[in-house]
Amino acid sequence: NAGVTQTPKFQVLKTGQSMTLQCAQDMNHNSMYWYRQDPGMGLRLIYYSASEGTTDKGEVPNGYNVSRLNKREFSLRLESAAPSQTSVYFCASSEPPLSYYNEQFFGPGTRLTVL
Amino acid sequence: TQLLEQSPQFLSIQEGENLTVYCNSSSVFSSLQWYRQEPGEGPVLLVTVVTGGEVKKLKRLTFQFGDARKDSSLHITAAQPGDTGLYLCAGATTGNQFYFGTGTSLTVIP
């Protein structure tokens, strides 16, 4: 099993450009999440999907949109990239839906730079 | 809003030394997790603690959840170079979201 995979691994954008970060998991998990990680800030939740067909905002959703395409895939879209969105983005999945006994499995991350 | 503060932010020690990392908050959490992250990779879960006062041991690592479920600590005995990494705590709220701490970057020098 590959676990959680993310594409691309690296991306450089110019301000105003758009892009979609892809995430897929092969563990048959119901819940999926997008986080961003910035130095000294830990990980902050952008959006999550408790199950196929549902999405909810996390701590820092502004400037992002998500799509839960099916049970396996959860994408994150930046419609008009800004330098403040330069970060490392992590996708994670878990089963059952997020609860305090739950373990989140993380992908390797996408390193995004917005110039 | 940063709910969880970790200290120290950076720690560099010699192999064989002991260390403690702290995770503090003014908020109450239903549970708390500790993760370790290596460069270029995503975090990996080490432990989950759910009961106030709970202590869990994982080989040379000891995790404690505060009695009031607002804080936690990670103690490493006889640190080894393989312990090097970024340690993150994450607290779960009744709203079913996890809030991650600011992280502690540990370097163990051989």
Side-chain angles (χ1 to χ4, degrees):
Chain A
N1 288 344
V4 179
T5 57
Q6 293 182 235
T7 57
K9 290 188 177 181
F10 300 93
Q11 184 70 49
V12 179
L13 294 177
K14 294 181 179 179
T15 297
Q17 288 185 319
S18 62
M19 78 160 295
T20 299
L21 282 65
Q22 305 287 351
C23 173
Q25 52 91 9
D26 63 1
M27 295 172 283
N28 203 35
H29 287 171
N30 275 304
S31 301
M32 298 184 73
Y33 319 93
W34 277 105
Y35 291 89
R36 59 177 289 173
Q37 184 174 35
D38 302 291
M41 297 290 289
L43 279 82
R44 291 180 292 171
L45 183 64
I46 305 171
Y47 271 93
Y48 66 100
S49 172
S51 61
E52 186 178 355
T54 67
T55 60
D56 287 287
K57 295 179 180 180
E59 187 181 357
V60 288
N62 291 345
Y64 305 96
N65 286 299
V66 291
S67 295
R68 184 72 183 268
L69 304 172
N70 48 55
K71 192 172 184 178
R72 290 186 64 249
E73 299 171 288
F74 189 35
S75 63
L76 178 71
R77 183 162 178 82
L78 286 70
E79 291 290 351
S80 179
S84 61
Q85 294 178 304
T86 293
S87 187
V88 181
Y89 291 85
F90 287 99
C91 177
S93 71
S94 68
E95 177 71 31
L98 189 63
S99 72
Y100 59 74
Y101 281 108
N102 218 4
E103 176 179 0
Q104 295 180 71
F105 293 85
F106 285 83
T110 294
R111 284 143 188 83
L112 174 67
T113 301
V114 183
L115 303 174
Chain B
T1 303
Q2 187 64 54
L3 295 180
L4 284 161
E5 294 288 340
Q6 287 184 237
S7 62
Q9 187 175 359
F10 299 96
L11 190 55
S12 181
I13 62 172
Q14 295 290 328
E15 181 177 0
E17 292 183 348
N18 301 333
L19 67 114
T20 301
V21 176
Y22 299 94
C23 174
N24 295 302
S25 175
S26 58
S27 301
V28 176
F29 295 102
S30 55
S31 69
L32 197 133
Q33 296 183 331
W34 283 93
Y35 290 80
R36 182 169 67 204
Q37 183 179 18
E38 300 195 8
E41 299 182 6
V44 176
L45 181 69
L46 295 173
V47 75
T48 301
V49 285
V50 298
T51 305
E54 182 176 2
V55 177
K56 281 192 174 180
K57 292 189 176 183
L58 184 64
K59 297 184 180 178
R60 294 175 294 99
L61 279 61
T62 301
F63 305 86
Q64 184 164 8
F65 201 12
D67 291 342
R69 305 207 313 276
K70 293 183 178 180
D71 53 81
S72 181
S73 64
L74 159 61
H75 182 78
I76 301 179
T77 302
Q80 299 178 0
D83 296 327
T84 293
L86 179 67
Y87 289 82
L88 295 160
C89 62
T93 69
T94 54
N96 258 359
Q97 285 193 18
F98 277 97
Y99 292 90
F100 279 80
T102 48
T104 294
S105 179
L106 172 65
T107 302
V108 181
I109 303 167

